[in-house]
């Protein structure tokens, strides 16, 4: 039993434990959002480091194990994600590669590379949420990264307690705070999508006071009585300036929030519609993905838009948008959504394709949701909805009532 304990301790030396702790803190929140096979491969890598026989840790066997894990990763990405270049695909590959590199790392240089990769993984993973929890996770990751690098820089073989590296890391971070504050206030912000910037110059963490609801534009629900109020209001919600030509008034359909659910009295958005992880997972992230879903006809329209703050994620765009704005993305139902909530006035450049046709049918769950009719409400409205559904149904999915 004693040789087994000694071998276990030999494989989990203090520098490795520090690097592993940093990697776990950086990636655990992302593992809850990614498919379960990513977590399974991570656990397999850790188990291989802890319990593999000595002959399995030799270079040839180690290389074989890594090749098998990477092959399973590629297979999982092809099966689980619509495109191998999506954000989830890249994040999954990054996390598994870091753990495979970490479990075989022996030198200080390799462990330092794992620590730096952990910081990148934490920054990319913070796209799954915005709030104080993500801020605390980033702070803990940076703190552990600095402490681990401090441990790796020590040349003394004397044992290192957990308090001393953390105290040194806090000291270094405190000295860096004045310079960080100056850079935060004076360094110019580079516009562009966060997926393209790689989160180098900032973190997508909402850390601002919520503005009071100014009751501008749409809310989370829509009733028939809201239409006269919005029509009679003189508040400016959207200002658009067209670059080439002004479309006809009948073509100016501005897509904002998309309401799918109707209970007979009002339309409403689902409670979890604002969860960024779900929105990003269904987002259309590339021109190729958009072109695969649309068949365009006619010339595109270019324009500049300015939106008044309303405290939600949607940005108004002509139907249908064919490019994204900075720090925004196109959802699965062609909404232009902001990564951060619109708490300040937003200006952006957009292009739209007014003539288009969909290349694919609605998914069965979306079609069933769209054809669902309320059990109560205006009988004439329900009858009108049934006639529309039956007229466009093509004998695929009959309209259903909510029970």
């Amino acid at each position: 039993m004693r040789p087994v304990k000694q071998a276990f301790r030999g494989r989990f030396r203090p520098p490795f434990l520090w690097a592993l702790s940093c990697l776990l803190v950086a990636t655990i929140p992302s593992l809850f959002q990614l498919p379960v096979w990513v977590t399974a491969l991570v656990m397999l890598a850790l188990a291989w480091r802890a319990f593999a026989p000595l002959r399995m840790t030799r270079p040839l066997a180690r290389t074989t194990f890594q090749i098998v894990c990477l092959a399973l990763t590629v297979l999982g990405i092809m099966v689980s994600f619509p495109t191998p270049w999506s954000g989830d695909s890249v994040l999954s590959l990054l996390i598994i590669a870091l753990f495979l590199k970490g479990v075989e790392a022996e030198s200080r240089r390799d462990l330092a590379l794992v620590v730096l990769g952990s910081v990148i993984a934490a920054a990319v993973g913070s796209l799954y949420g915005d709030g104080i929890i993500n801020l605390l996770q980033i702070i803990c990751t940076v703190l552990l990264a600095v402490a681990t690098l401090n441990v790796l820089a020590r040349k003394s073989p004397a044992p290192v307690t957990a308090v001393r590296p953390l105290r040194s890391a806090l000291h270094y971070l405190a000295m860096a705070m004045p310079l960080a504050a100056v850079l935060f206030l004076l360094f110019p912000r580079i516009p562009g999508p966060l997926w393209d910037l790689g989160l180098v110059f900032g973190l997508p963490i909402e850390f601002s006071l919520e503005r009071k609801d100014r009751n501008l534009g749409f809310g989370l629900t829509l009733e028939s009585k809201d239409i006269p109020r919005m029509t009679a209001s003189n508040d400016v919600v959207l200002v658009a300036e067209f670059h080439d030509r002004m479309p006809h008034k009948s073509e100016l359909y501005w897509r904002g929030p998309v309401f799918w659910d109707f209970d007979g009295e009002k339309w409403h958005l689902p409670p979890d519609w604002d969860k960024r992880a779900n929105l990003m997972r269904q987002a259309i992230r590339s021109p190729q993905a958009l072109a695969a879903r649309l068949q365009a006809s006619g010339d595109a329209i270019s324009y500049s838009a300015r939106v008044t703050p309303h405290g939600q994620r949607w940005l108004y765009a002509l139907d249908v948008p064919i490019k994204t704005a900075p720090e925004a993305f196109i959802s699965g139902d062609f909404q232009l959504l902001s990564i951060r909530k619109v708490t300040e006035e937003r200006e952006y450049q957009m292009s739209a394709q007014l003539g288009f046709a969909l290349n694919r049918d609605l998914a069965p769950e979306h079609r069933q949701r769209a054809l669902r009719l309320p059990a109560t409400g205006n009988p004439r409205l329900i009858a009108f909805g049934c006639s529309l559904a039956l007229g466009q149904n093509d004998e695929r999915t009959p309209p259903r009532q909510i029970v």
Side-chain angles (χ1 to χ4, degrees):
M1 191 66 181
R2 182 173 298 177
V4 174
K5 291 183 178 180
Q6 291 178 350
F8 188 85
R9 291 174 181 174
R11 297 183 185 182
F12 288 87
R13 295 173 181 174
F16 174 80
L17 290 177
W18 279 98
L20 179 61
S21 300
C22 180
L23 183 56
L24 288 174
V25 171
T27 57
I28 280 180
S30 300
L31 292 177
F32 284 103
Q33 304 293 339
L34 296 173
V36 67
W37 58 263
V38 179
T39 305
L41 286 178
V42 167
M43 298 301 294
L44 179 63
L46 293 176
W48 179 86
R49 170 82 182 207
F51 302 109
L54 184 60
R55 64 179 182 276
M56 291 295 294
T57 59
R58 293 171 182 172
L60 181 60
R62 184 169 63 237
T63 303
T64 304
F65 174 78
Q66 292 174 339
I67 292 175
V68 171
C69 288
L70 289 176
L72 292 175
T73 302
V74 173
L75 180 61
I77 288 175
M78 294 177 61
V79 172
S80 302
F81 305 117
T83 169
W85 306 113
S86 66
D88 291 340
S89 305
V90 174
L91 184 58
S92 301
L93 181 60
L94 174 62
I95 290 176
I96 294 175
L98 284 174
F99 273 95
L100 289 178
K101 182 61 179 177
V103 297
E104 66 139 7
E106 297 291 346
S107 66
R108 297 175 184 268
R109 177 179 175 274
D110 290 343
L111 292 175
L113 289 176
V114 172
V115 172
L116 296 179
S118 301
V119 177
I120 297 175
V124 176
S126 63
L127 279 174
Y128 284 105
D130 54 350
I132 193 65
I133 301 299
N134 285 92
L135 179 61
L136 292 175
Q137 184 228 349
I138 293 296
I139 291 175
C140 292
T141 301
V142 173
L143 182 64
L144 283 173
V146 175
T148 305
L149 294 176
N150 187 22
V151 172
L152 296 176
R154 289 174 55 89
K155 297 182 179 180
S156 174
V160 180
T161 62
V163 176
R164 184 173 179 179
L166 291 176
R167 186 171 58 223
S168 299
L170 288 173
H171 178 68
Y172 295 147
L173 293 178
M175 290 192 299
M177 287 301 295
L179 179 59
V182 171
L183 293 176
F184 179 79
L185 294 174
L186 302 180
F187 198 84
R189 183 179 180 85
I190 299 177
L194 291 178
W195 281 109
D196 296 337
L197 287 178
L199 309 177
V200 175
F201 294 102
L203 298 175
I205 297 174
E206 184 179 346
F207 198 67
S208 59
L209 296 177
E210 292 288 343
R211 296 191 177 191
K212 292 184 179 179
D213 185 11
R214 297 180 58 188
N215 203 26
L216 294 179
F218 292 98
L220 299 180
T221 60
L222 178 64
E223 300 183 64
S224 58
K225 65 181 181 180
D226 294 332
I227 305 300
R229 174 186 62 80
M230 290 189 290
T231 304
S233 175
N234 292 323
D235 292 326
V236 177
V237 177
L238 169 69
V239 176
E241 178 182 355
F242 293 91
H243 298 165
D244 302 324
R245 65 178 180 88
M246 174 71 181
H248 190 269
K249 187 177 181 180
S250 61
E251 297 179 305
L252 295 179
Y253 174 76
W254 297 94
R255 184 181 290 259
V258 176
F259 296 91
W260 288 77
D261 302 319
F262 183 58
D263 60 7
E265 296 182 358
K266 58 185 178 182
W267 297 89
H268 56 88
L269 298 173
D272 60 344
W273 84 272
D274 197 29
K275 190 174 181 181
R276 191 161 63 185
N278 295 335
L279 293 175
M280 294 297 293
R281 189 174 294 113
Q282 301 172 4
I284 303 173
R285 298 199 184 105
S286 66
Q288 294 78 12
L290 184 63
R293 302 184 61 173
L294 294 176
Q295 183 177 354
S297 61
D299 297 330
I301 299 293
S302 299
Y303 61 94
S304 303
R306 186 173 76 249
V307 175
T308 305
H310 48 69
Q312 301 298 332
R313 293 193 188 276
W314 55 73
L315 299 170
Y316 298 97
L318 277 179
D319 201 16
V320 60
I322 57 175
K323 76 171 189 178
T324 59
E327 297 189 8
F329 59 94
I330 301 175
S331 69
D333 48 9
F334 302 105
Q335 298 180 75
L336 182 65
L337 297 176
S338 175
I339 291 180
R340 295 182 179 91
K341 292 183 179 180
V342 185
T343 56
E344 297 179 354
E345 187 175 80
R346 286 284 301 270
E347 296 186 16
Y348 48 93
Q349 306 289 327
M350 283 298 298
S351 296
Q353 184 65 56
L354 304 185
F356 66 92
L358 294 178
N359 284 338
R360 62 177 68 172
D361 294 332
L362 284 175
E365 61 272 14
H366 290 165
R367 174 174 290 275
Q368 185 180 21
R369 184 181 179 189
L371 294 177
R372 225 171 22 175
L373 297 175
T376 59
N378 190 325
R380 294 178 60 187
L381 183 61
I382 296 176
F384 180 65
C386 287
S387 65
L388 288 178
L390 291 174
Q392 301 294 328
N393 188 43
D394 291 340
E395 299 181 356
R396 280 178 285 195
T397 305
R400 291 173 40 180
Q401 286 193 332
I402 300 175
V403 294

